[in-house]
Amino acid sequence: MISRKNGTRSATRALDFGQRLGAARRARGWSRAELARRTGDLTAEGIRRIEQGLTHNPGILHAQALAWALDVPLPDLLGPHRPSGGKDIIKVSSVLE
């Protein structure tokens, strides 16, 4: 994990998202150019920047376009999320059961 003195973990989350994106793309045997073509919204260079963690926030619309193109659920690309306090998010449905 990348340690950030300013307390943000956006660089770590960006790299994690990029790693999951790259793994999903390679699992399909696609180049970045092919994935870009299938999204219709991104360039191969933009995808490279996301995969390498250089783009810290690709935006939800781009993330969704990538998930759709790869035919994977968006949460699989986003990965687990913990609020800044470090505690797991509790699903409301589990509290109400």
Side-chain angles (χ1 to χ4, degrees):
M1 180 182 281
I2 299 170
S3 173
R4 305 282 288 192
K5 291 187 180 201
N6 64 5
T8 66
R9 295 197 173 147
S10 64
T12 300
R13 283 193 297 264
L15 186 57
D16 291 346
F17 175 78
Q19 288 171 338
R20 285 187 290 277
L21 174 63
R25 177 184 58 78
R26 287 187 298 277
R28 291 235 177 246
W30 295 348
S31 66
R32 290 179 180 131
E34 177 62 16
L35 178 55
R37 184 187 71 75
R38 288 174 182 260
T39 65
D41 197 32
L42 293 162
T43 64
E45 175 62 16
I47 292 170
R48 180 193 69 80
R49 293 183 57 77
I50 293 169
E51 287 182 355
Q52 292 179 351
L54 301 174
T55 298
H56 294 264
N57 185 5
I60 192 65
L61 295 178
H62 285 151
Q64 184 64 65
L66 290 162
W68 281 337
L70 291 162
D71 195 28
V72 298
L74 181 57
D76 288 359
L77 285 181
L78 296 177
H81 174 71
R82 290 180 155 217
S84 59
K87 295 181 181 177
D88 288 326
I89 296 173
I90 300 171
K91 291 183 180 180
V92 174
S93 60
S94 66
V95 175
L96 297 175
E97 292 176 348

Coordinates of all heavy atoms in Angstrom, one line a residue:
M1 N 0.8 -1.2 0.0 CA 0.0 0.0 0.0 C 0.9 1.2 0.0 O 1.9 1.3 0.7 CB -0.9 0.0 1.2 CG -1.8 1.2 1.3 SD -2.8 1.2 2.8 CE -4.1 0.1 2.3
I2 N 0.5 2.2 -0.7 CA 1.2 3.5 -0.8 C 0.8 4.3 0.4 O -0.3 4.5 0.7 CB 0.9 4.3 -2.1 CG1 1.3 3.4 -3.3 CG2 1.5 5.6 -2.1 CD1 0.7 4.0 -4.6
S3 N 1.8 4.7 1.2 CA 1.6 5.5 2.3 C 1.6 7.0 1.9 O 2.5 7.4 1.3 CB 2.7 5.3 3.4 OG 2.5 6.1 4.5
R4 N 0.6 7.7 2.3 CA 0.5 9.2 2.0 C 0.5 9.9 3.3 O -0.3 9.7 4.2 CB -0.7 9.4 1.2 CG -0.9 8.6 0.0 CD -0.1 9.1 -1.1 NE -0.7 10.4 -1.6 CZ -0.3 10.9 -2.7 NH1 0.6 10.4 -3.4 NH2 -0.9 12.1 -3.0
K5 N 1.5 10.9 3.5 CA 1.5 11.6 4.7 C 0.4 12.6 4.9 O 0.0 12.9 6.0 CB 2.8 12.4 4.8 CG 4.1 11.6 4.9 CD 5.3 12.4 5.1 CE 6.4 11.4 5.3 NZ 7.6 11.9 5.9
N6 N -0.3 13.0 3.8 CA -1.4 13.9 4.0 C -2.7 13.1 4.3 O -3.7 13.8 4.5 CB -1.6 14.7 2.7 CG -2.0 13.8 1.5 OD1 -2.2 12.6 1.6 ND2 -2.1 14.4 0.3
G7 N -2.6 11.8 4.5 CA -3.8 11.1 5.0 C -4.7 10.6 4.0 O -5.6 9.8 4.3
T8 N -4.5 10.9 2.7 CA -5.4 10.4 1.7 C -4.9 9.1 1.2 O -3.7 8.8 1.2 CB -5.5 11.4 0.5 OG1 -4.3 11.5 -0.2 CG2 -6.0 12.8 0.9
R9 N -5.8 8.3 0.7 CA -5.5 7.0 0.1 C -5.9 7.0 -1.3 O -6.0 5.9 -1.9 CB -6.1 5.9 0.9 CG -5.5 5.9 2.3 CD -5.8 4.6 2.9 NE -5.1 4.5 4.2 CZ -5.5 4.0 5.3 NH1 -6.6 3.3 5.3 NH2 -4.8 4.0 6.4
S10 N -6.1 8.1 -2.0 CA -6.6 8.1 -3.3 C -5.6 7.5 -4.3 O -6.0 6.8 -5.2 CB -7.0 9.5 -3.8 OG -5.8 10.4 -3.8
A11 N -4.3 7.7 -4.1 CA -3.3 7.1 -4.9 C -3.4 5.5 -4.8 O -3.3 4.8 -5.8 CB -1.9 7.6 -4.6
T12 N -3.6 5.0 -3.6 CA -3.7 3.6 -3.4 C -4.9 3.0 -4.1 O -4.9 2.0 -4.8 CB -3.7 3.2 -1.9 OG1 -2.5 3.7 -1.4 CG2 -3.8 1.8 -1.7
R13 N -6.1 3.7 -3.9 CA -7.3 3.2 -4.5 C -7.2 3.3 -6.0 O -7.7 2.4 -6.7 CB -8.5 4.1 -4.0 CG -8.9 3.6 -2.6 CD -10.3 4.2 -2.3 NE -10.3 5.7 -2.2 CZ -10.1 6.4 -1.1 NH1 -10.0 5.8 0.0 NH2 -10.1 7.7 -1.1
A14 N -6.6 4.4 -6.6 CA -6.4 4.5 -8.0 C -5.6 3.4 -8.6 O -5.9 2.8 -9.6 CB -5.8 5.9 -8.4
L15 N -4.5 3.0 -7.9 CA -3.6 2.0 -8.4 C -4.4 0.6 -8.3 O -4.3 -0.2 -9.2 CB -2.3 1.9 -7.5 CG -1.3 0.9 -8.0 CD1 -0.9 1.1 -9.4 CD2 -0.1 1.0 -7.1
D16 N -5.1 0.4 -7.2 CA -5.9 -0.9 -7.0 C -6.9 -1.0 -8.1 O -7.0 -2.0 -8.7 CB -6.6 -0.9 -5.7 CG -5.6 -1.1 -4.5 OD1 -4.4 -1.4 -4.7 OD2 -6.0 -0.8 -3.4
F17 N -7.6 0.1 -8.4 CA -8.6 0.1 -9.5 C -7.9 -0.2 -10.8 O -8.4 -1.1 -11.6 CB -9.4 1.4 -9.6 CG -10.3 1.5 -10.7 CD1 -11.5 0.9 -10.7 CD2 -10.0 2.2 -11.8 CE1 -12.4 1.0 -11.7 CE2 -10.8 2.3 -12.9 CZ -12.1 1.7 -12.9
G18 N -6.8 0.4 -11.0 CA -6.1 0.2 -12.3 C -5.5 -1.2 -12.4 O -5.6 -1.7 -13.5
Q19 N -5.1 -1.8 -11.3 CA -4.6 -3.1 -11.4 C -5.7 -4.1 -11.7 O -5.6 -5.0 -12.5 CB -3.9 -3.5 -10.1 CG -2.6 -2.8 -9.9 CD -2.1 -3.0 -8.5 OE1 -2.8 -3.3 -7.5 NE2 -0.8 -2.8 -8.3
R20 N -6.9 -3.9 -11.1 CA -8.1 -4.7 -11.4 C -8.5 -4.6 -12.8 O -8.9 -5.5 -13.5 CB -9.2 -4.5 -10.4 CG -8.9 -5.0 -9.0 CD -10.1 -4.9 -8.1 NE -10.4 -3.5 -7.7 CZ -9.8 -2.9 -6.7 NH1 -8.9 -3.6 -6.0 NH2 -10.0 -1.7 -6.4
L21 N -8.5 -3.3 -13.3 CA -8.9 -3.0 -14.7 C -7.9 -3.7 -15.6 O -8.3 -4.4 -16.6 CB -8.8 -1.5 -14.9 CG -9.1 -1.1 -16.4 CD1 -10.5 -1.5 -16.9 CD2 -8.9 0.4 -16.5
G22 N -6.6 -3.6 -15.4 CA -5.6 -4.3 -16.3 C -5.8 -5.8 -16.3 O -5.7 -6.4 -17.3
A23 N -6.0 -6.3 -15.1 CA -6.2 -7.8 -15.0 C -7.4 -8.3 -15.8 O -7.4 -9.3 -16.5 CB -6.3 -8.2 -13.5
A24 N -8.5 -7.5 -15.7 CA -9.7 -7.9 -16.4 C -9.5 -7.7 -17.9 O -10.0 -8.6 -18.7 CB -10.9 -7.0 -16.0
R25 N -8.8 -6.7 -18.3 CA -8.5 -6.5 -19.7 C -7.7 -7.6 -20.3 O -7.9 -8.2 -21.3 CB -7.8 -5.1 -20.0 CG -7.5 -4.9 -21.4 CD -6.7 -3.6 -21.6 NE -5.5 -3.5 -20.8 CZ -4.3 -4.1 -21.1 NH1 -4.2 -4.8 -22.2 NH2 -3.3 -3.9 -20.3
R26 N -6.6 -8.0 -19.6 CA -5.7 -9.0 -20.0 C -6.4 -10.4 -20.0 O -6.1 -11.2 -20.9 CB -4.4 -9.0 -19.1 CG -3.5 -7.9 -19.4 CD -2.2 -8.0 -18.7 NE -2.4 -8.0 -17.2 CZ -2.5 -6.9 -16.5 NH1 -2.4 -5.7 -17.1 NH2 -2.6 -7.0 -15.2
A27 N -7.3 -10.6 -19.1 CA -8.0 -11.9 -19.0 C -8.9 -12.1 -20.3 O -9.1 -13.2 -20.7 CB -8.9 -11.9 -17.8
R28 N -9.3 -11.0 -20.9 CA -10.0 -11.0 -22.1 C -9.1 -11.1 -23.4 O -9.6 -11.4 -24.5 CB -10.9 -9.8 -22.3 CG -12.0 -9.7 -21.3 CD -13.3 -9.6 -22.1 NE -14.5 -9.6 -21.2 CZ -15.4 -10.5 -21.3 NH1 -15.2 -11.5 -22.1 NH2 -16.4 -10.5 -20.5
G29 N -7.8 -10.9 -23.1 CA -6.9 -10.9 -24.2 C -6.9 -9.7 -25.1 O -6.5 -9.7 -26.3
W30 N -7.4 -8.6 -24.5 CA -7.6 -7.3 -25.3 C -6.4 -6.4 -25.0 O -5.8 -6.3 -23.9 CB -8.8 -6.6 -24.8 CG -10.1 -7.3 -25.2 CD1 -10.3 -8.4 -26.0 CD2 -11.4 -7.0 -24.7 NE1 -11.6 -8.7 -26.0 CE2 -12.3 -7.9 -25.2 CE3 -11.9 -6.0 -23.8 CZ2 -13.7 -7.8 -25.0 CZ3 -13.2 -5.9 -23.5 CH2 -14.1 -6.8 -24.1
S31 N -6.1 -5.6 -26.0 CA -5.1 -4.5 -25.9 C -5.9 -3.3 -25.3 O -7.1 -3.3 -25.2 CB -4.6 -4.1 -27.3 OG -5.6 -3.6 -28.1
R32 N -5.1 -2.3 -24.9 CA -5.8 -1.1 -24.4 C -6.6 -0.5 -25.5 O -7.6 0.1 -25.2 CB -4.7 -0.2 -23.8 CG -4.1 -0.7 -22.5 CD -3.1 0.3 -22.0 NE -2.5 -0.2 -20.8 CZ -1.2 -0.3 -20.5 NH1 -0.3 0.1 -21.4 NH2 -0.8 -0.8 -19.4
A33 N -6.0 -0.5 -26.7 CA -6.7 0.1 -27.8 C -8.1 -0.6 -28.1 O -9.1 0.0 -28.4 CB -5.9 0.0 -29.1
E34 N -8.1 -1.9 -27.9 CA -9.4 -2.7 -28.1 C -10.4 -2.3 -27.0 O -11.6 -2.1 -27.3 CB -9.1 -4.2 -28.1 CG -10.4 -5.0 -28.2 CD -11.1 -4.8 -29.5 OE1 -10.6 -4.3 -30.5 OE2 -12.3 -5.2 -29.5
L35 N -9.9 -2.2 -25.8 CA -10.8 -1.8 -24.7 C -11.3 -0.4 -24.9 O -12.5 -0.1 -24.8 CB -10.2 -1.9 -23.3 CG -11.0 -1.5 -22.1 CD1 -12.3 -2.2 -22.1 CD2 -10.2 -1.7 -20.8
A36 N -10.5 0.5 -25.4 CA -10.9 1.9 -25.6 C -11.9 1.9 -26.7 O -12.9 2.6 -26.6 CB -9.7 2.7 -26.1
R37 N -11.8 1.1 -27.8 CA -12.7 1.0 -28.9 C -14.1 0.6 -28.4 O -15.1 1.1 -28.7 CB -12.2 0.1 -30.0 CG -13.1 0.0 -31.2 CD -12.7 -1.0 -32.2 NE -12.9 -2.4 -31.7 CZ -14.1 -3.0 -31.7 NH1 -15.2 -2.3 -32.0 NH2 -14.2 -4.2 -31.2
R38 N -14.0 -0.4 -27.5 CA -15.3 -1.0 -27.0 C -16.0 -0.1 -26.0 O -17.2 -0.2 -25.9 CB -15.0 -2.4 -26.3 CG -14.7 -3.4 -27.3 CD -14.3 -4.7 -26.7 NE -13.9 -5.7 -27.6 CZ -14.7 -6.7 -28.0 NH1 -15.9 -6.8 -27.5 NH2 -14.3 -7.6 -28.9
T39 N -15.3 0.8 -25.3 CA -16.0 1.7 -24.4 C -16.6 2.9 -25.2 O -17.6 3.4 -24.9 CB -15.0 2.4 -23.4 OG1 -14.0 3.2 -24.0 CG2 -14.4 1.3 -22.5
G40 N -15.9 3.2 -26.4 CA -16.4 4.3 -27.2 C -16.2 5.6 -26.5 O -16.7 6.7 -27.1
D41 N -15.5 5.7 -25.4 CA -15.5 6.9 -24.6 C -14.1 7.3 -24.1 O -13.8 8.4 -23.7 CB -16.4 6.8 -23.4 CG -16.7 8.1 -22.8 OD1 -16.8 9.1 -23.5 OD2 -16.9 8.1 -21.6
L42 N -13.2 6.3 -24.2 CA -11.8 6.5 -23.7 C -10.8 6.2 -24.7 O -11.1 5.5 -25.7 CB -11.6 5.5 -22.5 CG -12.4 5.8 -21.2 CD1 -12.4 4.6 -20.3 CD2 -11.8 7.0 -20.5
T43 N -9.6 6.7 -24.5 CA -8.5 6.4 -25.4 C -7.6 5.3 -24.8 O -7.6 5.1 -23.6 CB -7.6 7.6 -25.7 OG1 -7.0 8.0 -24.4 CG2 -8.4 8.8 -26.2
A44 N -6.7 4.7 -25.6 CA -5.8 3.7 -25.1 C -4.8 4.4 -24.0 O -4.5 3.8 -23.0 CB -5.0 3.1 -26.2
E45 N -4.5 5.6 -24.3 CA -3.6 6.4 -23.4 C -4.3 6.6 -22.1 O -3.7 6.5 -21.0 CB -3.2 7.7 -24.0 CG -2.4 8.6 -23.1 CD -1.0 8.0 -22.6 OE1 -0.6 7.0 -23.1 OE2 -0.5 8.6 -21.6
G46 N -5.6 7.0 -22.1 CA -6.4 7.2 -20.9 C -6.5 5.9 -20.1 O -6.3 5.9 -18.9
I47 N -6.7 4.8 -20.8 CA -6.7 3.5 -20.1 C -5.3 3.1 -19.4 O -5.3 2.7 -18.3 CB -7.2 2.4 -21.0 CG1 -8.7 2.6 -21.3 CG2 -7.0 1.0 -20.4 CD1 -9.3 1.8 -22.4
R48 N -4.3 3.4 -20.2 CA -2.9 3.2 -19.6 C -2.7 4.0 -18.3 O -2.2 3.5 -17.3 CB -1.8 3.6 -20.6 CG -0.4 3.3 -20.1 CD 0.7 4.0 -20.9 NE 0.6 5.4 -20.9 CZ 1.1 6.2 -19.9 NH1 1.7 5.6 -18.8 NH2 1.1 7.5 -19.9
R49 N -3.2 5.3 -18.3 CA -3.0 6.1 -17.2 C -3.8 5.6 -16.0 O -3.4 5.6 -14.8 CB -3.4 7.6 -17.5 CG -2.4 8.2 -18.5 CD -2.7 9.7 -18.7 NE -2.8 10.5 -17.5 CZ -1.7 10.9 -16.8 NH1 -0.5 10.6 -17.3 NH2 -1.9 11.6 -15.8
I50 N -5.0 5.1 -16.3 CA -5.8 4.5 -15.2 C -5.2 3.2 -14.6 O -5.0 3.1 -13.4 CB -7.3 4.2 -15.7 CG1 -8.0 5.5 -16.0 CG2 -8.0 3.4 -14.7 CD1 -9.3 5.3 -16.8
E51 N -4.7 2.4 -15.5 CA -4.1 1.1 -15.1 C -2.8 1.3 -14.3 O -2.5 0.6 -13.4 CB -3.8 0.2 -16.3 CG -5.0 -0.4 -17.0 CD -4.7 -1.3 -18.1 OE1 -3.5 -1.4 -18.5 OE2 -5.6 -1.9 -18.7
Q52 N -2.1 2.4 -14.6 CA -0.9 2.6 -13.9 C -1.1 3.5 -12.7 O -0.1 3.9 -12.0 CB 0.2 3.3 -14.8 CG 0.6 2.3 -15.9 CD 1.6 2.9 -16.9 OE1 1.9 4.1 -16.9 NE2 2.2 2.0 -17.7
G53 N -2.3 3.9 -12.4 CA -2.6 4.6 -11.2 C -2.3 6.1 -11.3 O -2.2 6.8 -10.3
L54 N -2.1 6.6 -12.5 CA -1.7 8.0 -12.8 C -3.0 8.9 -12.8 O -2.9 10.1 -12.6 CB -1.0 8.1 -14.1 CG 0.3 7.3 -14.1 CD1 1.0 7.4 -15.5 CD2 1.3 7.8 -13.1
T55 N -4.1 8.3 -13.1 CA -5.4 9.0 -13.1 C -6.1 8.5 -11.8 O -6.5 7.4 -11.7 CB -6.3 8.6 -14.3 OG1 -5.6 9.0 -15.5 CG2 -7.6 9.3 -14.2
H56 N -6.2 9.4 -10.8 CA -6.7 9.1 -9.5 C -8.2 9.0 -9.4 O -8.7 8.3 -8.6 CB -6.2 10.1 -8.5 CG -4.7 10.1 -8.3 ND1 -4.1 9.4 -7.3 CD2 -3.7 10.6 -9.0 CE1 -2.8 9.5 -7.4 NE2 -2.5 10.2 -8.4
N57 N -8.9 9.6 -10.3 CA -10.3 9.5 -10.3 C -10.9 9.6 -11.7 O -11.2 10.6 -12.2 CB -10.9 10.7 -9.5 CG -12.4 10.6 -9.3 OD1 -13.0 9.6 -9.7 ND2 -13.0 11.6 -8.7
P58 N -11.0 8.4 -12.3 CA -11.5 8.4 -13.7 C -13.0 8.8 -13.8 O -13.4 9.0 -14.9 CB -11.3 6.9 -14.1 CG -11.3 6.1 -12.9 CD -10.7 7.0 -11.8
G59 N -13.7 8.8 -12.7 CA -15.1 9.2 -12.8 C -16.0 8.0 -12.9 O -15.6 7.0 -13.5
I60 N -17.2 8.1 -12.3 CA -18.1 7.0 -12.3 C -18.6 6.6 -13.7 O -18.7 5.4 -14.0 CB -19.3 7.2 -11.3 CG1 -20.0 6.0 -11.1 CG2 -20.2 8.3 -11.9 CD1 -19.3 4.9 -10.3
L61 N -18.8 7.5 -14.6 CA -19.2 7.2 -15.9 C -18.2 6.4 -16.7 O -18.5 5.5 -17.4 CB -19.6 8.5 -16.7 CG -20.8 9.2 -16.1 CD1 -21.1 10.5 -16.9 CD2 -22.1 8.3 -16.0
H62 N -16.9 6.8 -16.6 CA -15.8 6.1 -17.2 C -15.7 4.7 -16.6 O -15.5 3.7 -17.3 CB -14.5 6.8 -17.2 CG -14.5 8.0 -18.1 ND1 -13.7 9.1 -17.9 CD2 -15.1 8.2 -19.3 CE1 -13.9 10.0 -18.9 NE2 -14.7 9.4 -19.8
A63 N -15.8 4.6 -15.3 CA -15.6 3.3 -14.6 C -16.8 2.4 -15.1 O -16.5 1.2 -15.3 CB -15.7 3.5 -13.1
Q64 N -18.0 2.9 -15.2 CA -19.1 2.1 -15.6 C -18.9 1.7 -17.1 O -19.2 0.5 -17.4 CB -20.4 2.9 -15.4 CG -21.6 2.0 -15.8 CD -21.8 0.8 -14.9 OE1 -22.0 1.0 -13.7 NE2 -21.7 -0.4 -15.4
A65 N -18.4 2.6 -17.9 CA -18.2 2.2 -19.3 C -17.2 1.1 -19.4 O -17.3 0.2 -20.2 CB -17.8 3.4 -20.1
L66 N -16.1 1.1 -18.6 CA -15.1 0.1 -18.6 C -15.7 -1.2 -18.1 O -15.4 -2.3 -18.7 CB -13.9 0.5 -17.7 CG -13.1 1.7 -18.3 CD1 -12.2 2.3 -17.2 CD2 -12.2 1.2 -19.4
A67 N -16.5 -1.2 -17.1 CA -17.1 -2.4 -16.5 C -18.0 -3.0 -17.6 O -18.0 -4.2 -17.8 CB -17.9 -2.1 -15.3
W68 N -18.9 -2.2 -18.2 CA -19.8 -2.7 -19.3 C -19.0 -3.3 -20.4 O -19.3 -4.4 -20.9 CB -20.7 -1.6 -19.8 CG -21.8 -1.3 -18.9 CD1 -22.4 -2.1 -17.9 CD2 -22.5 0.0 -18.9 NE1 -23.4 -1.4 -17.3 CE2 -23.5 -0.2 -17.9 CE3 -22.4 1.1 -19.6 CZ2 -24.4 0.8 -17.6 CZ3 -23.3 2.2 -19.3 CH2 -24.3 2.0 -18.3
A69 N -18.0 -2.6 -20.9 CA -17.2 -3.2 -22.0 C -16.5 -4.5 -21.7 O -16.5 -5.4 -22.5 CB -16.1 -2.1 -22.4
L70 N -16.1 -4.6 -20.4 CA -15.4 -5.9 -20.0 C -16.4 -6.9 -19.5 O -16.0 -8.1 -19.2 CB -14.4 -5.6 -18.8 CG -13.2 -4.8 -19.3 CD1 -12.5 -4.1 -18.0 CD2 -12.2 -5.7 -20.0
D71 N -17.7 -6.5 -19.4 CA -18.7 -7.4 -18.9 C -18.4 -8.0 -17.5 O -18.5 -9.2 -17.2 CB -19.0 -8.6 -19.9 CG -20.3 -9.3 -19.6 OD1 -21.2 -8.7 -19.1 OD2 -20.4 -10.5 -19.9
V72 N -18.0 -7.0 -16.6 CA -17.8 -7.4 -15.2 C -18.6 -6.4 -14.4 O -18.8 -5.2 -14.8 CB -16.3 -7.3 -14.8 CG1 -15.4 -8.3 -15.6 CG2 -15.7 -5.9 -15.0
P73 N -19.0 -6.8 -13.2 CA -19.8 -5.9 -12.3 C -18.9 -4.8 -11.9 O -17.7 -5.0 -11.6 CB -20.2 -6.8 -11.2 CG -20.1 -8.2 -11.6 CD -19.0 -8.2 -12.7
L74 N -19.4 -3.6 -11.9 CA -18.6 -2.4 -11.5 C -18.0 -2.6 -10.1 O -16.8 -2.3 -9.9 CB -19.5 -1.1 -11.5 CG -18.8 0.2 -11.1 CD1 -17.6 0.4 -12.0 CD2 -19.8 1.3 -11.2
P75 N -18.7 -3.2 -9.1 CA -18.0 -3.4 -7.8 C -16.8 -4.2 -7.9 O -15.9 -4.1 -7.1 CB -19.1 -4.0 -6.9 CG -20.4 -3.5 -7.5 CD -20.1 -3.5 -9.0
D76 N -16.7 -5.2 -8.8 CA -15.5 -6.0 -9.0 C -14.3 -5.1 -9.4 O -13.2 -5.4 -9.0 CB -15.7 -7.1 -10.0 CG -16.7 -8.2 -9.5 OD1 -17.1 -8.1 -8.3 OD2 -16.9 -9.1 -10.3
L77 N -14.6 -4.1 -10.2 CA -13.5 -3.2 -10.6 C -13.1 -2.2 -9.5 O -12.0 -1.9 -9.2 CB -13.8 -2.4 -11.8 CG -13.8 -3.1 -13.2 CD1 -14.1 -2.2 -14.3 CD2 -12.4 -3.8 -13.4
L78 N -14.1 -1.8 -8.8 CA -13.9 -0.8 -7.7 C -13.2 -1.4 -6.5 O -12.4 -0.8 -5.8 CB -15.2 -0.1 -7.3 CG -15.9 0.7 -8.3 CD1 -17.2 1.2 -7.8 CD2 -15.0 1.8 -8.8
G79 N -13.6 -2.7 -6.2 CA -13.0 -3.3 -5.0 C -13.6 -2.9 -3.7 O -14.5 -2.1 -3.7
P80 N -13.0 -3.5 -2.6 CA -13.5 -3.1 -1.3 C -13.3 -1.7 -1.0 O -12.3 -1.1 -1.4 CB -12.8 -4.1 -0.4 CG -11.6 -4.5 -1.1 CD -11.9 -4.4 -2.6
H81 N -14.1 -1.1 -0.2 CA -13.9 0.3 0.2 C -14.1 0.4 1.7 O -15.0 -0.2 2.3 CB -15.0 1.2 -0.4 CG -14.9 2.6 0.1 ND1 -13.9 3.5 -0.2 CD2 -15.7 3.3 0.9 CE1 -14.0 4.6 0.4 NE2 -15.2 4.6 1.0
R82 N -13.2 1.1 2.3 CA -13.3 1.4 3.8 C -13.3 2.9 3.9 O -12.5 3.6 3.3 CB -12.1 0.9 4.5 CG -12.1 -0.6 4.6 CD -10.9 -1.1 5.3 NE -11.2 -2.4 5.9 CZ -10.9 -2.8 7.0 NH1 -10.1 -2.1 7.8 NH2 -11.2 -4.0 7.5
P83 N -14.2 3.4 4.7 CA -14.1 4.9 5.0 C -12.8 5.2 5.7 O -12.1 4.4 6.2 CB -15.3 5.1 5.9 CG -15.9 3.8 6.3 CD -15.2 2.7 5.4
S84 N -12.5 6.5 5.7 CA -11.2 7.0 6.2 C -11.0 6.5 7.7 O -9.8 6.5 8.1 CB -11.1 8.5 6.1 OG -12.1 9.1 6.8
G85 N -12.0 6.2 8.4 CA -11.8 5.7 9.8 C -11.3 4.3 9.9 O -10.9 3.9 10.9
G86 N -11.3 3.6 8.8 CA -10.8 2.3 8.7 C -11.7 1.2 9.1 O -11.4 0.0 9.2
K87 N -13.0 1.5 9.4 CA -14.0 0.5 9.8 C -14.8 0.1 8.5 O -15.0 0.9 7.6 CB -14.9 1.0 10.8 CG -14.2 1.3 12.1 CD -15.1 1.8 13.2 CE -14.4 2.1 14.5 NZ -15.2 2.6 15.5
D88 N -15.1 -1.2 8.5 CA -15.9 -1.6 7.4 C -17.3 -1.0 7.3 O -17.9 -0.7 8.4 CB -16.1 -3.2 7.4 CG -14.8 -3.9 7.2 OD1 -14.0 -3.4 6.3 OD2 -14.6 -5.0 7.8
I89 N -17.8 -0.8 6.1 CA -19.1 -0.3 5.9 C -20.1 -1.4 6.2 O -19.9 -2.5 5.7 CB -19.3 0.3 4.5 CG1 -18.4 1.4 4.3 CG2 -20.8 0.6 4.2 CD1 -18.4 1.9 2.8
I90 N -21.1 -1.1 7.0 CA -22.1 -2.1 7.4 C -23.3 -1.9 6.4 O -23.8 -0.8 6.3 CB -22.5 -2.0 8.8 CG1 -21.3 -2.2 9.7 CG2 -23.7 -3.0 9.2 CD1 -21.6 -1.8 11.2
K91 N -23.7 -3.0 5.8 CA -24.9 -2.9 5.0 C -26.1 -2.8 5.8 O -26.3 -3.4 6.8 CB -25.0 -4.2 4.1 CG -24.0 -4.4 3.1 CD -24.2 -5.6 2.3 CE -23.2 -5.8 1.2 NZ -23.4 -7.0 0.4
V92 N -27.0 -1.9 5.4 CA -28.2 -1.6 6.1 C -29.1 -2.9 6.2 O -29.6 -3.2 7.3 CB -29.1 -0.5 5.4 CG1 -30.4 -0.3 6.1 CG2 -28.3 0.8 5.4
S93 N -29.1 -3.7 5.2 CA -29.9 -4.9 5.2 C -29.4 -5.9 6.3 O -30.2 -6.6 6.9 CB -29.9 -5.6 3.8 OG -28.5 -6.0 3.5
S94 N -28.1 -5.9 6.6 CA -27.7 -6.8 7.6 C -28.0 -6.3 9.0 O -28.2 -7.1 9.9 CB -26.1 -7.0 7.5 OG -25.5 -5.8 7.8
V95 N -28.2 -5.0 9.2 CA -28.6 -4.5 10.4 C -30.1 -4.7 10.7 O -30.5 -5.0 11.8 CB -28.3 -3.0 10.5 CG1 -28.9 -2.4 11.8 CG2 -26.9 -2.7 10.4
L96 N -30.9 -4.7 9.6 CA -32.3 -4.9 9.7 C -32.8 -6.3 9.9 O -33.9 -6.6 10.2 CB -33.0 -4.2 8.5 CG -32.8 -2.7 8.4 CD1 -33.4 -2.2 7.1 CD2 -33.4 -2.0 9.5
E97 N -31.9 -7.3 9.6 CA -32.3 -8.7 9.7 C -32.5 -9.2 11.1 O -32.0 -8.7 12.0 CB -31.3 -9.5 9.0 CG -31.3 -9.3 7.5 CD -30.1 -10.1 6.8 OE1 -29.3 -10.6 7.4 OE2 -30.2 -10.1 5.6

